[in-house]
Amino acid sequence: QEALVESGGGSVQAGGSLRLSCVAAPYASRRYCMGYFRQVQGKEREGVAAISTRDSTTYYDNSVRGRFTISLDKARNTMYLQMNNLTTEDTAMYTCAADLICDEYYMATIAAHYGRGIQVTVSS
């Protein structure tokens, strides 16, 4: 069983919205935090947002704060990333991750589990 399965990527015009979903296997969703990284080819991977599986504390990178919302449905072992007011700068491969350290000020750069990644493309 895959640890994490992503869905919801695609193409959208600037100003539009997308929602990413990440379904986690039970063994991958019970420790520390879950979150999303993104990477543009040729650039370093960056942490976008994360949420604590214990108390739902959230972390957001400054570049997405106020536009993206991360949430967790524990009953369904599913994490969501609602992305609004998208810009071309949000174009990237988004990867779901689980079992990583986070708090409201910090998101670890490594995780124990990763999804395969899903492309988000925002056109002007």
Side-chain angles (χ1 to χ4, degrees):
Q1 182 182 11
E2 286 187 80
L4 301 167
V5 178
E6 300 135 314
S7 62
S11 298
V12 66
Q13 288 194 321
S17 299
L18 284 173
R19 188 176 80 157
L20 304 184
S21 300
C22 175
V23 180
Y27 68 86
S29 62
R30 294 175 180 163
R31 283 164 49 91
Y32 304 122
C33 300
M34 295 180 66
Y36 279 95
F37 294 94
R38 69 184 180 186
Q39 188 169 22
V40 176
Q41 194 169 10
K43 294 188 177 180
E44 288 190 4
R45 184 178 67 187
E46 61 178 1
V48 176
I51 184 166
S52 167
T53 60
R54 180 176 63 87
D55 61 8
S56 296
T57 297
T58 56
Y59 164 88
Y60 295 98
D61 183 77
N62 285 336
S63 64
V64 306
R65 186 174 290 115
R67 300 187 298 121
F68 290 12
T69 302
I70 194 166
S71 60
L72 186 63
D73 184 338
K74 292 183 180 181
R76 291 179 169 83
N77 288 333
T78 302
M79 176 178 62
Y80 302 98
L81 185 68
Q82 178 66 42
M83 306 185 292
N84 297 331
N85 195 20
L86 286 159
T87 74
T88 56
E89 297 295 311
D90 296 314
T91 295
M93 178 70 74
Y94 285 71
T95 301
C96 171
D99 198 355
L100 67 151
I101 301 298
C102 81
D103 62 28
E104 61 182 305
Y105 305 109
Y106 171 78
M107 175 180 176
T109 57
I110 58 173
H113 306 284
Y114 296 95
R116 295 187 180 187
I118 196 161
Q119 180 67 35
V120 171
T121 302
V122 185
S123 59
S124 59

